[in-house]
Amino acid sequence: MFKVELTVFGDLEQVSITTPYDRLVIDDASSDLTVMVGPDTIRVHRSMLATRSEVFNSCKGELIMDDFDMVVIRALFNYMYTDLFPDTAFMKSFAADLLAVSIKYQVAGTQQFCEDYFCRGLDKNNVESILQMADSVGAIDLKTRAMCFNKEVN
């Protein structure tokens, strides 16, 4: 079920399409999984997360995700619920972490988004550091693309 909002501003129309799923992000009452991030918790819906990643199918009760910052986990879950990717300001600070968590929890959409983000910014000054980062988090496609880029510029 989709909700369409239409607002008319003179000759301009603004259309917003949302789904009921975007409201679940803030709905603790129906959540069935608690994610622990350090001392903080997030209540989520296992079935929603499982639609994006099979990793969440087997999760019950509590899941500890201590190896990532809360802001990165929230960005991942926001995508998983709404299909919305983080903005450029977020990516400048947290792209490597978002890529790492996406790979660890097998969330293909954010993994591809992050890899594309790094590939768009590849240049001869950063290719080595991107190669090292891709290797350390297991981003095989990004590593391959960066290696091809490196061969072209050298």
Side-chain angles (χ1 to χ4, degrees), residues 1 16 23 26 44 49 64 69 81-82 103 116-117 121 126-127 140 147 149-151:
M1 177 171 129
S16 172
R23 285 178 259 153
I26 57 171
V44 294
L49 302 183
I64 297 171
D69 290 337
Y81 276 87
T82 67
I103 290 169
D116 290 346
Y117 171 82
N126 68 11
V127 68
I140 297 166
M147 286 171 44
F149 178 85
N150 199 26
K151 285 180 185 175

Side-chain angles (χ1 to χ4, degrees), residues 40-114:
D40 300 317
T41 61
I42 306 173
R43 298 280 301 151
V44 294
H45 306 84
R46 186 183 59 80
S47 60
M48 282 298 298
L49 302 183
T51 65
R52 301 288 184 166
S53 168
E54 290 184 21
V55 172
F56 293 97
N57 274 331
S58 60
C59 295
K60 303 278 189 234
E62 289 185 357
L63 172 64
I64 297 171
M65 298 176 82
D66 274 347
D67 42 353
F68 300 98
D69 290 337
M70 178 64 88
V71 67
V72 175
I73 300 300
R74 286 194 185 279
L76 179 74
F77 289 163
N78 189 60
Y79 164 75
M80 294 176 84
Y81 276 87
T82 67
D83 262 349
L84 298 175
F85 293 110
D87 62 18
T88 304
F90 177 91
M91 292 302 288
K92 284 181 181 178
S93 298
F94 298 105
D97 292 332
L98 185 58
L99 177 59
V101 75
S102 298
I103 290 169
K104 181 173 183 175
Y105 292 97
Q106 301 173 16
V107 183
T110 50
Q111 179 179 343
Q112 186 64 54
F113 176 76
C114 292

